[in-house]
Amino acid sequence: MDPSEKRKIKIYIETLGCPKNENDSEVAAGILTEAGYDVIDRKEAADGAQVIIVNTCGFINDAKKESVDSILAWAGEDKILVISGCLSQRYGEELFKEIPEAKCVVGVDQYEDLPKFLEKIIRDPDLRILETDGYNSETCSEHLKRRVLPVGAYSTTLKISEGCNNRCAYCVIPSIRGPYRSRRIENITCEAEELVSKGIKELILVAQDVTAYGMDIYGEYALHRLLKELCRIKDLKWIRLMYCYEDRMTDDLIDVIAKEDKICKYIDLPIQHCSDAILSAMGRRSTEASIRGTVEKLRERIPDIRIRTTLITGFPGEKEKDFEELMSFVEEMEFDRLGVFAYSQEEGTEAGEMDDQIPLEIREERRDSIMKIQMDISLKKNMGMTGKTVEVLLEEKEETGIWSGRTAYDAPDIDNGVLVATNRPHSPGDMIMIKITEGMDYDLMGEEV
């Protein structure tokens, strides 16, 4: 296809699901841009696009429904519809059959092939392509300098590995994404430097399990080594860790988090439950004792650490006493940030075939009960912030003299926010010092110092 013709073709990528999917979409945008296509990053401009790529999530039922709803919404448009991501990797043949409007259905590791697929479809409007051969079983692909970031981006993810070796009974990710494959430190660092040169101030390290990083290629857990190299990048301000496993929080890793100022004193440590019986049924390696020990060690060695966790309520076989144990545990541990999922029964998982499935109503009631406890904990902790001075990353101007932002203790989109009163001129991505004036359930208010 003539390059000038390619430049006339506008592509919009709609991304659903987790931050790792956002990363994949940016890689896809980079590949397509490099091939000569015009990728637009604003949904309001998507009406002018000739190609729509829906990058789907297929993790739990709610995510699957959202993905299908989005696909069907675009299917009614006169555009070339492409379906990618976890849902298409998992149900590619079904999507290809049931949604004839989809011209191309690809899995999680076919982004490199999108330009040639699109060229074939543009040449032959009757052609349809199904390609979900699966993940690359070799070392995680290196898409250096190929990501296209949103205009004005100041925070982004940095994927350090692909796949997962953990075999949690409720999870389909290993069957979708394949085994754990780490990227090499020098390649990650190179990408990080490139991102920072484009204006990125915060890098959010993501993987299915960031604490497993390096074991497959270095023979040891090497996240602490990677962090030391990233901390050397001059203009990088914040490094944030997501998706850590408590049993892999090594002393070396804790030491580097404690010592390096650029590493946010925040850690995402999804424990899922505290009952030993339920943890064992889930296929988790943790126990209540090991979780307690890790949390205590983190709080002792990093006094200002904020710990986020996630829980699952209503896992098959969860008895009332297991749930009461979980409620007591949440009240006692007082996690700084906490989210709860009502268990989702997924086909193709060990848990999906278990007896003693809990009715959805009970799963959701238990979820809501935990969140009510956490709301009180969050309010107490936020009120305790009153009068303190903290650094805030400004994100959006709400009205004259008022900005919204977040602290180093909060990940984007899932944690607390801060409303900041300031009369000084600012732009999104500015980092300023503020004094907290009020703490609410899940937000703070403050004024620029």
Side-chain angles (χ1 to χ4, degrees):
M1 184 184 298
D2 186 87
S4 62
E5 291 299 311
K6 281 187 179 180
R7 284 194 294 272
K8 295 177 183 178
I9 298 173
K10 297 183 183 297
I11 300 173
Y12 173 68
I13 304 175
E14 179 163 322
T15 307
L16 304 166
C18 68
K20 294 181 282 293
N21 260 20
E22 292 282 355
N23 191 288
D24 288 347
S25 289
E26 290 168 4
V27 168
I31 292 169
L32 291 163
T33 300
E34 193 174 82
Y37 295 97
D38 182 8
V39 181
I40 56 179
D41 68 353
R42 294 177 295 108
K43 188 168 186 176
E44 56 267 28
D47 286 343
Q50 289 80 36
V51 180
I52 300 295
I53 300 174
V54 183
N55 188 9
T56 61
C57 178
F59 182 49
I60 59 175
N61 288 326
D62 287 347
K64 288 188 288 186
K65 182 179 184 304
E66 182 185 17
S67 293
V68 170
D69 288 347
S70 181
I71 292 167
L72 293 176
W74 287 115
E77 303 286 334
D78 184 20
K79 302 178 187 294
I80 296 173
L81 176 61
V82 178
I83 308 173
S84 70
C86 290
L87 191 72
S88 55
Q89 183 69 55
R90 193 175 177 190
Y91 300 108
E93 291 185 4
E94 292 93 326
L95 291 170
F96 194 72
K97 178 181 178 181
E98 298 296 331
I99 304 178
E101 296 89 346
K103 290 293 185 179
C104 184
V105 178
V106 297
V108 297
D109 203 33
Q110 279 78 45
Y111 295 110
E112 293 278 357
D113 296 325
L114 280 178
K116 71 177 183 182
F117 290 163
L118 284 177
E119 188 166 345
K120 289 179 180 180
I121 292 168
I122 291 167
R123 286 176 174 173
D124 181 0
D126 294 326
L127 180 66
R128 299 182 71 213
I129 296 173
L130 170 64
E131 185 63 67
T132 57
D133 279 349
Y135 50 81
N136 180 353
S137 61
E138 300 176 357
T139 301
C140 185
S141 298
E142 309 292 353
H143 299 291
L144 298 181
K145 303 184 180 180
R146 301 185 69 175
R147 288 171 63 186
V148 172
L149 302 177
V151 174
Y154 47 81
S155 171
T156 192
T157 57
L158 182 61
K159 186 186 286 189
I160 66 173
S161 71
E162 183 58 276
C164 188
N165 290 341
N166 300 313
R167 296 291 172 178
C168 300
Y170 49 82
C171 184
V172 297
I173 293 299
S175 63
I176 294 175
R177 294 277 179 174
Y180 198 95
R181 290 101 69 204
S182 299
R183 298 176 59 191
R184 293 198 170 274
I185 289 176
E186 58 269 26
N187 290 325
I188 298 172
T189 304
C190 183
E191 182 181 359
E193 290 171 344
E194 177 71 14
L195 292 169
V196 172
S197 74
K198 294 178 179 178
I200 293 299
K201 297 180 179 180
E202 176 187 37
L203 286 174
I204 303 169
L205 271 56
V206 296
Q208 301 302 332
D209 174 2
V210 297
T211 42
Y213 173 77
M215 180 59 76
D216 56 322
I217 57 175
Y218 299 121
E220 64 173 353
Y221 296 131
L223 182 57
H224 65 288
R225 290 170 49 192
L226 171 62
L227 288 171
K228 287 178 181 179
E229 294 302 315
L230 294 175
C231 287
R232 299 177 191 273
I233 300 175
K234 181 181 177 182
D235 294 323
L236 177 58
K237 302 298 183 183
W238 288 353
I239 301 170
R240 187 178 305 281
L241 299 179
M242 304 294 290
Y243 315 113
C244 301
Y245 276 60
E246 68 83 14
D247 59 302
R248 290 176 174 151
M249 292 299 302
T250 64
D251 288 339
D252 287 337
L253 177 56
I254 294 173
D255 284 344
V256 76
I257 295 172
K259 292 176 182 177
E260 295 286 356
D261 291 338
K262 290 188 177 185
I263 302 176
C264 296
K265 302 306 180 270
Y266 167 104
I267 194 159
D268 175 46
L269 202 74
I271 62 171
Q272 312 305 359
H273 215 282
C274 72
S275 162
D276 287 350
I278 298 300
L279 287 168
S280 177
M282 286 179 169
R284 307 282 291 186
R285 295 181 300 272
S286 297
T287 64
E288 180 181 354
S290 71
I291 295 169
R292 286 181 183 275
T294 298
V295 171
E296 288 170 4
K297 182 186 290 187
L298 284 167
R299 287 174 169 169
E300 178 183 346
R301 292 168 60 177
I302 314 173
D304 57 340
I305 192 77
R306 302 299 197 275
I307 300 175
R308 152 168 277 280
T309 196
T310 52
L311 304 171
I312 295 174
T313 56
F315 187 81
E318 183 188 61
K319 298 179 171 56
E320 188 64 35
K321 68 178 182 63
D322 297 314
F323 178 62
E324 290 174 358
E325 182 181 339
L326 182 60
M327 286 196 295
S328 298
F329 187 79
V330 170
E331 288 179 327
E332 179 187 350
M333 299 303 289
E334 293 193 342
F335 291 101
D336 303 278
R337 315 283 186 258
L338 184 145
V340 187
F341 292 95
Y343 166 74
S344 177
Q345 185 176 5
E346 295 295 321
E347 61 183 345
T349 64
E350 182 182 347
E353 302 299 321
M354 288 180 177
D355 296 330
D356 299 327
Q357 297 287 331
I358 309 294
L360 177 60
E361 182 180 359
I362 295 177
R363 289 181 252 159
E364 293 179 341
E365 286 176 356
R366 291 177 177 178
R367 174 198 63 197
D368 295 344
S369 295
I370 295 289
M371 287 310 301
K372 185 176 180 181
I373 294 171
Q374 183 61 27
M375 182 181 291
D376 293 337
I377 293 170
S378 181
L379 175 61
K380 183 177 77 170
K381 287 179 176 285
N382 283 347
M383 290 177 65
M385 291 289 290
T386 303
K388 295 184 178 181
T389 299
V390 296
E391 187 175 36
V392 166
L393 175 67
L394 297 181
E395 298 192 298
E396 185 176 355
K397 189 173 184 179
E398 300 293 337
E399 57 185 82
T400 301
I402 301 293
W403 279 78
S404 60
R406 55 189 170 84
T407 72
Y409 304 129
D410 300 289
D413 300 323
I414 59 173
D415 289 322
N416 289 1
V418 184
L419 286 176
V420 179
T422 176
N423 292 317
R424 299 175 188 173
H426 288 297
S427 300
D430 285 357
M431 303 177 83
I432 65 172
M433 300 304 295
I434 74 163
K435 183 177 181 179
I436 303 298
T437 57
E438 184 179 354
M440 297 168 284
D441 291 343
Y442 291 112
D443 294 296
L444 300 168
M445 295 187 69
E447 54 190 24
E448 184 170 11
V449 176

